[in-house]
Amino acid sequence: MDNQALRGLQHFKNYVGIKFQLYNSLFTSLPFHRIEKTGILLSLFLNNCEEGYKKKLSPTEIVEEFFIKHTTYTNQNERLDILFRFIQFVERQVVLFDALEDAAFTQVHDTSGVGTLKQLELEVLQHNKEEALSKKLEDFCIRMVLTAHPTQFYPGSVLGIINDLSKSLAENNTAQINMYLQQLGKTAFFKKEKPSPYDEAISLVWYLENVFYAAAGRIISFIKNQFPDAIHENNPVINMGFWPGGDRDGNPFVTADTTLKVADALRGGIIKCYYLDIRRLRRRLTFKGVDVILSELETQLYDNIFIPGHRTTLTKLDILTSLNKIKEILIYQHNGLFLHLVNNLINKVHVFGLHFASLDIRQESSVHNKVLEEIAVENKILPADYSTLPVEKKIEVLTKNETALPEHTYKTPIVNDTINTIKAIKSIQSYNGESGCNRYIISQCNCALNVIEVYGLFILCGWQKKELNIDIVPLFETIDDLQNAATIIKTLYENKEYKQHLKRRSNRQTIMLGFSDGTKDGGYLMANWSIYKAKEKLTAISKEYDIDVIFFDGRGGPPARGGGKTHKFYASMGKNISNKEIELTIQGQTVSSNFGTIDSAQYNIEQLIHAGISNELFSNRDITLQEEEEALLQALSNESFNSYNSLKNHPDFGDYLSHISPLNFYSETNIGSRPAKRGGTSKLDLKDLRAIPFVGAWSQLKQNVTGFYGVGTAIQKLEREGQFNKIKLLYQNSLFFKTLMDNCEMAMKKCFFPLTEYLSKDEKYGEIWNMIYREYTLTEKYIFQLSGKNELMADYPVEQLSISMREKIVLPLVTIQQFAISQIRKIENEMVKNPLKDTYQKLVIRCSFGIINAGRNSA
């Protein structure tokens, strides 16, 4: 362990570990019903869990033993009341731990060290790369897209408390900390109703206003101060994207009206930020000539926010023109006094414009086919037999058409809404600027026609081909679609009309790749490998056709959904993978855990920028992997895929997930507006099941199958073929493979098999449990052999300790949840009506909050 890692670990112990023990004692004064007793009993219950699992007791046996040994309760309702109070208590312990980690961020992390912009500055100056940096920044940028995917269980009120509590903890303000903990005790964690898509948008706008706005300003100011000529006006380096209100894939609650309302909220949010900054500037810039311009700008911004229905034609250029006038006056008349404040605001305006974040529209591919078929039936613009035409003919019809649809109301609501949404994009662009909404993403894209269908719909909805300023983005998710992606894109590049469209879009094609569904479909190794190979082929085919390809990664929080050490993946890429931009989704918990404070957001954004820039400026890697290494990873992926499929195709796999994990209760947690699965059937179908509940269910079960399953079997198979030394060399020499294994370790560190060991001898589920456990121990064995360590995550001691502490905090919750699921299973097997079934179901759902929140990147 190096000195920096040791320092970070010691700081973590001091600023998080010890403080948690100290402030945890304050919970005894919280205004809970019989709180003192709850706190004492919970510590006894935690001890009972730890000792019980050592003795191989089941969760039901542990709960029963606790009530017999430590209480006098015999009435089941009284016992359940105690368990609910334990849940309340632990939920708030998790909040305290989150706040402590946020408060200690700058002490625990080296904000001037590896992967930061300060390090990049040193590297650039040391190697005389100033000119290369400026050239790279002509078109390189990062785009972080905030999504509405429901993996965040904290309501907005609790997020606000965490934010304030973190500040007080950093200042050691005990009086305020005590007040906030009391507020926490009185604040509800449970959402009685599902949020609307607009509610989801507003909760993420909070992060834009309070975190990303300031963090981006700091970063751009730093780069401009150190390298004044590096940043170009037409490329702000940092872009924000936004899905809530635009993502209608499988979410019937997102409509064209929602999209317009969210776009308006984004415009209002950024204008409010500018208004507050102008107010602060006025306190400093009290000089003649400047005050009048500032006052006029303040009035314009005020009118746009606070006068109902008063949305003026204010533009980004208007704001920049006023600020640049002020800048000139300061330079020539006031010796540049407070110039840095004006420059900082100008930088923010270049980044955020009047759109704040670009609102992406996303819809599932089959919807567009249905829309076009209904248009063909009710209008004469498309052939009446459109639905029966061969694919090539459909493409020809859609690309040659230049006629817009007449006003018409269609029978199917989704047809009307799709048309209205495409028309709404023009309205959004007129107020928020072109960047306000200029991408249309097609999920479940499996052929070139899917892309042309969207192109054709824009023309049918009144867009002129020469003015179509929209990027059409195919999203490839399943293993089959990833493997066919290059062929699909080649077909598009060879289509005359689409080629013209790309020319008008500066010969750039954005392609989205979905880690979540890929992992659900093919397992951990095969999904990551398939995405890498798809990127390699797509880069090559795009070069052949002189197209700049931009990869947009659909990443979730945990390794199983493309999360984990994300920046290391980008840093590991060779020149055989396009690196024009780094685009990725920031989902649910990842927003609050990695970007919850200005300091953590700045640090993590810098890591992404550094990965993209240093990779080109300082890396000698022409290719990510040598030919022999590729063959090795392909073989590992194939074996891993076969192993994962054998588990997924087990006849009891669906029942195991449905009856042992909390999967069936996901939709009742009220954390997101979107249903847990596509389609309307009640039967569990893995194809329709969303990746988030799939991964999240394994996470709560403490068997993170999607983050490791098949890895051990694959290595064992190749070892038997005499190739283990090659794998070890790959681990030592390839940052890509090393990062894959690091993320695998993170997923495994969050497993706890004693929780479900009682199933090992179960008649129905024993076989599956043992398959999973054997794979876990096999994978662990080979990871230790590769790393030379004897514990998981040994290279990341701070994160290792953080996970261990969090897992200990929620041990009572996973125990209670498994106890409740066991009781529900027992009641359903007996087929006798039991009034307690509803209470057990509520226990399962309430436990989910604390378990998922404590994981921070577990879904």
Side-chain angles (χ1 to χ4, degrees):
M1 198 185 299
D2 62 31
N3 290 336
Q4 181 52 45
L6 275 171
R7 275 197 301 274
L9 182 60
Q10 194 54 52
H11 284 149
F12 187 87
K13 287 175 179 175
N14 292 341
Y15 290 99
V16 181
I18 293 169
K19 279 191 174 185
F20 178 73
Q21 301 304 329
L22 178 67
Y23 290 118
N24 193 31
S25 62
L26 285 176
F27 275 100
T28 54
S29 63
L30 289 184
F32 286 152
H33 166 57
R34 290 178 290 174
I35 183 65
E36 296 86 352
K37 196 171 182 183
T38 303
I40 294 162
L41 285 174
L42 178 60
S43 63
L44 291 169
F45 182 58
L46 172 59
N47 184 62
N48 223 65
C49 292
E50 290 175 328
E51 294 303 315
Y53 289 124
K54 285 177 190 171
K55 294 187 286 187
K56 299 191 181 295
L57 297 183
S58 71
T60 302
E61 289 168 331
I62 288 169
V63 170
E64 187 64 31
E65 183 185 73
F66 164 76
F67 282 116
I68 292 169
K69 277 173 67 175
H70 300 292
T71 76
T72 55
Y73 299 124
T74 54
N75 181 289
Q76 197 65 9
N77 284 319
E78 285 184 320
R79 288 182 168 191
L80 292 174
D81 178 55
I82 283 279
L83 295 180
F84 273 113
R85 282 195 274 132
F86 284 172
I87 294 167
Q88 280 187 305
F89 201 102
V90 173
E91 281 175 341
R92 284 147 181 85
Q93 284 181 315
V94 172
V95 168
L96 173 61
F97 198 85
D98 283 349
L100 280 164
E101 282 204 327
D102 288 346
F105 190 89
T106 52
Q107 276 83 28
V108 173
H109 295 81
D110 184 0
T111 53
S112 303
V114 176
T116 64
L117 289 185
K118 283 180 183 170
Q119 191 209 32
L120 181 69
E121 177 196 2
L122 291 173
E123 290 171 329
V124 168
L125 295 173
Q126 192 178 340
H127 295 93
N128 298 314
K129 292 279 188 177
E130 292 93 331
E131 205 175 304
L133 175 67
S134 183
K135 184 166 177 52
K136 174 68 178 170
L137 290 180
E138 282 177 11
D139 55 9
F140 173 79
C141 68
I142 63 164
R143 181 190 287 248
M144 295 163 291
V145 181
L146 306 182
T147 77
H149 292 121
T151 62
Q152 179 54 264
F153 283 74
Y154 290 136
S157 53
V158 176
L159 287 170
I161 296 171
I162 293 175
N163 189 269
D164 296 338
L165 184 57
S166 295
K167 288 176 185 170
S168 297
L169 287 164
E171 296 161 4
N172 286 320
N173 189 331
T174 310
Q176 273 195 330
I177 293 164
N178 195 29
M179 270 197 312
Y180 291 141
L181 290 178
Q182 288 192 49
Q183 181 189 1
L184 204 57
K186 289 179 174 286
T187 304
F189 276 48
F190 186 67
K191 297 176 182 176
K192 290 182 180 176
E193 293 177 358
K194 279 184 180 293
S196 68
Y198 183 72
D199 294 333
E200 290 173 328
I202 294 305
S203 70
L204 285 178
V205 169
W206 185 93
Y207 284 101
L208 287 170
E209 292 175 356
N210 292 282
V211 178
F212 287 100
Y213 180 72
R218 281 187 191 177
I219 289 168
I220 302 302
S221 292
F222 176 85
I223 299 174
K224 279 198 168 181
N225 289 339
Q226 309 315 116
F227 304 102
D229 302 321
I231 292 186
H232 308 265
E233 279 196 7
N234 60 345
N235 180 41
V237 179
I238 296 171
N239 290 316
M240 295 303 301
F242 206 77
W243 274 18
D247 180 12
R248 58 247 304 130
D249 173 18
N251 192 340
F253 307 110
V254 179
T255 64
D257 288 341
T258 311
T259 304
L260 287 165
K261 197 176 169 188
V262 169
D264 209 37
L266 287 165
R267 177 185 162 92
I270 191 57
I271 290 175
K272 184 168 73 175
C273 289
Y274 295 154
Y275 173 77
L276 293 171
D277 264 359
I278 294 292
R279 296 267 298 180
R280 282 188 280 269
L281 271 177
R282 284 193 68 188
R283 294 184 66 167
R284 300 280 78 83
L285 304 184
T286 51
F287 323 135
K288 187 180 176 185
V290 173
D291 53 350
V292 176
I293 302 171
L294 268 180
S295 181
E296 286 175 358
L297 185 53
E298 183 188 348
T299 303
Q300 279 185 293
L301 294 168
Y302 179 93
D303 289 350
N304 269 271
I305 312 167
F306 298 112
I307 299 177
H310 191 85
R311 185 167 58 177
T312 69
T313 55
L314 179 73
T315 66
K316 171 183 172 181
L317 185 61
D318 294 336
I319 299 171
L320 286 172
T321 302
S322 297
L323 291 174
N324 281 318
K325 277 183 193 171
I326 292 167
K327 186 176 170 178
E328 280 189 31
I329 294 169
L330 290 180
I331 292 168
Y332 295 112
Q333 296 179 28
H334 303 289
N335 300 319
L337 189 60
F338 299 124
L339 182 62
H340 67 287
L341 298 177
V342 179
N343 279 336
N344 186 265
L345 182 51
I346 288 171
N347 294 340
K348 290 172 182 171
V349 177
H350 277 301
V351 170
F352 298 109
L354 279 180
H355 61 281
F356 217 161
S358 298
L359 186 58
D360 286 343
I361 307 298
R362 181 171 82 132
Q363 182 56 284
E364 202 251 323
S365 60
S366 64
V367 170
H368 307 123
N369 180 53
K370 288 173 192 168
V371 171
L372 288 164
E373 285 184 359
E374 191 160 326
I375 287 172
V377 170
E378 298 193 31
N379 267 296
K380 292 180 180 175
I381 294 172
L382 295 180
D385 63 346
Y386 175 83
S387 64
T388 60
L389 294 177
V391 168
E392 292 76 11
K393 188 66 181 171
K394 283 182 179 179
I395 289 175
E396 186 187 334
V397 166
L398 293 169
T399 51
K400 285 192 172 176
N401 173 57
E402 295 189 5
T403 309
L405 291 167
E407 287 297 323
H408 179 72
T409 302
Y410 293 86
K411 292 173 186 171
T412 312
I414 200 164
V415 176
N416 294 312
D417 190 68
T418 302
I419 292 167
N420 292 337
T421 298
I422 291 171
K423 289 180 178 178
I425 295 172
K426 267 193 178 174
S427 174
I428 294 168
Q429 289 190 354
S430 69
Y431 284 103
N432 293 16
E434 184 190 318
S435 299
C437 188
N438 62 358
R439 303 206 304 185
Y440 197 112
I441 298 162
I442 308 157
S443 53
Q444 304 279 322
C445 182
N446 48 49
C447 62
L449 175 61
N450 291 158
V451 175
I452 299 299
E453 283 169 339
V454 171
Y455 175 82
L457 277 168
F458 270 88
I459 307 307
L460 285 164
C461 291
W463 291 70
Q464 298 298 310
K465 288 181 180 179
K466 288 180 181 176
E467 296 167 4
L468 185 55
N469 55 4
I470 303 294
D471 293 324
I472 302 170
V473 183
L475 165 52
F476 301 111
E477 299 173 271
T478 66
I479 301 300
D480 284 347
D481 290 346
L482 287 164
Q483 289 171 351
N484 295 330
T487 306
I488 292 168
I489 293 299
K490 186 173 189 280
T491 304
L492 290 169
Y493 289 167
E494 289 180 347
N495 181 279
K496 187 182 170 186
E497 285 286 343
Y498 192 76
K499 195 175 179 181
Q500 284 301 310
H501 169 65
L502 286 179
K503 194 174 179 182
R504 291 188 288 269
R505 300 300 294 158
S506 306
N507 281 322
R508 289 160 76 91
Q509 173 67 57
T510 302
I511 298 170
M512 187 171 181
L513 303 155
F515 284 77
S516 301
D517 281 285
T519 307
K520 188 189 82 175
D521 186 42
Y524 178 66
L525 261 188
M526 179 53 95
N528 280 277
W529 179 244
S530 297
I531 287 170
Y532 169 78
K533 288 304 289 179
K535 283 185 176 182
E536 187 178 51
K537 289 175 186 172
L538 289 164
T539 301
I541 202 88
S542 298
K543 269 185 187 170
E544 193 183 317
Y545 287 86
D546 284 330
I547 303 292
D548 286 332
V549 66
I550 310 295
F551 294 123
F552 175 21
D553 291 341
R555 294 180 181 272
R561 294 183 52 239
K565 306 286 175 192
T566 306
H567 60 280
K568 289 199 170 184
F569 275 116
Y570 295 117
S572 73
M573 292 296 113
K575 293 180 172 64
N576 60 320
I577 305 293
S578 173
N579 183 33
K580 280 284 181 188
E581 294 183 16
I582 288 178
E583 294 194 7
L584 71 163
T585 54
I586 311 288
Q587 303 182 9
Q589 290 171 308
T590 314
V591 180
S592 57
S593 61
N594 289 356
F595 304 90
T597 65
I598 296 168
D599 288 331
S600 63
Q602 181 177 346
Y603 178 82
N604 284 299
I605 294 169
E606 285 189 16
Q607 293 282 323
L608 289 170
I609 294 173
H610 184 280
I613 293 175
S614 63
N615 203 10
E616 182 144 324
L617 266 59
F618 310 114
S619 171
N620 297 319
R621 278 191 302 269
D622 286 328
I623 53 173
T624 312
L625 296 158
Q626 299 299 324
E627 199 174 315
E628 190 179 349
E629 292 174 329
E630 284 221 357
L632 200 58
L633 256 170
Q634 183 68 61
L636 284 169
S637 299
N638 290 342
E639 294 300 337
S640 174
F641 181 61
N642 293 337
S643 175
Y644 177 74
N645 265 348
S646 68
L647 175 72
K648 201 172 71 168
N649 295 330
H650 190 285
D652 293 324
F653 182 78
D655 284 348
Y656 184 86
L657 205 52
S658 298
H659 299 302
I660 304 298
S661 83
L663 177 69
N664 287 342
F665 304 96
Y666 234 88
S667 58
E668 295 171 52
T669 51
N670 293 335
I671 55 164
S673 64
R674 195 170 69 164
K677 60 190 185 68
R678 296 180 175 96
T681 60
S682 57
K683 189 177 182 295
L684 176 64
D685 184 331
L686 282 182
K687 185 181 181 296
D688 291 334
L689 182 65
R690 293 281 181 188
I692 289 168
F694 181 74
V695 173
W698 288 114
S699 165
Q700 290 181 70
L701 200 51
K702 296 299 164 190
Q703 299 178 359
N704 285 314
V705 160
T706 45
F708 72 85
Y709 201 92
V711 174
T713 296
I715 297 174
Q716 183 184 59
K717 182 82 192 301
L718 268 69
E719 182 190 40
R720 287 173 178 168
E721 294 171 5
Q723 299 198 66
F724 184 74
N725 285 338
K726 289 181 183 177
I727 298 170
K728 193 153 190 172
L729 277 174
L730 182 67
Y731 181 84
Q732 291 164 354
N733 298 331
S734 165
L735 181 59
F736 175 69
F737 185 61
K738 171 73 164 63
T739 306
L740 271 179
M741 291 298 101
D742 285 351
N743 278 350
C744 183
E745 287 188 55
M746 185 190 289
M748 293 174 71
K749 182 70 181 167
K750 295 180 180 183
C751 291
F752 184 65
F753 280 91
L755 175 71
T756 48
E757 193 171 352
Y758 70 97
L759 292 166
S760 63
K761 295 181 176 63
D762 187 90
E763 190 180 330
K764 182 173 173 65
Y765 301 119
E767 188 179 348
I768 286 189
W769 188 91
N770 283 297
M771 281 174 74
I772 296 168
Y773 184 59
R774 276 196 303 271
E775 187 62 35
Y776 174 88
T777 54
L778 190 62
T779 304
E780 184 183 55
K781 171 191 151 185
Y782 282 113
I783 280 176
F784 290 163
Q785 285 184 26
L786 289 173
S787 67
K789 308 288 195 310
N790 58 5
E791 54 182 26
L792 294 168
M793 293 190 73
D795 288 341
Y796 304 96
V798 171
E799 287 161 283
Q800 183 193 52
L801 181 57
S802 172
I803 289 170
S804 295
M805 289 186 72
R806 287 174 175 278
E807 293 301 303
K808 182 171 180 174
I809 292 168
V810 295
L811 186 58
L813 293 195
V814 293
T815 303
I816 292 167
Q817 189 182 63
Q818 268 303 302
F819 157 74
I821 289 172
S822 296
Q823 296 306 305
I824 293 166
R825 219 164 43 241
K826 186 180 172 188
I827 290 167
E828 287 175 348
N829 288 340
E830 289 170 353
M831 292 187 288
V832 176
K833 193 171 182 183
N834 189 320
L836 289 176
K837 186 179 177 183
D838 284 349
T839 309
Y840 288 129
Q841 288 175 338
K842 284 175 186 168
L843 266 181
V844 174
I845 294 162
R846 285 305 302 275
C847 285
S848 290
F849 300 141
I851 298 167
I852 292 289
N853 284 333
R856 279 217 148 177
N857 72 344
S858 50

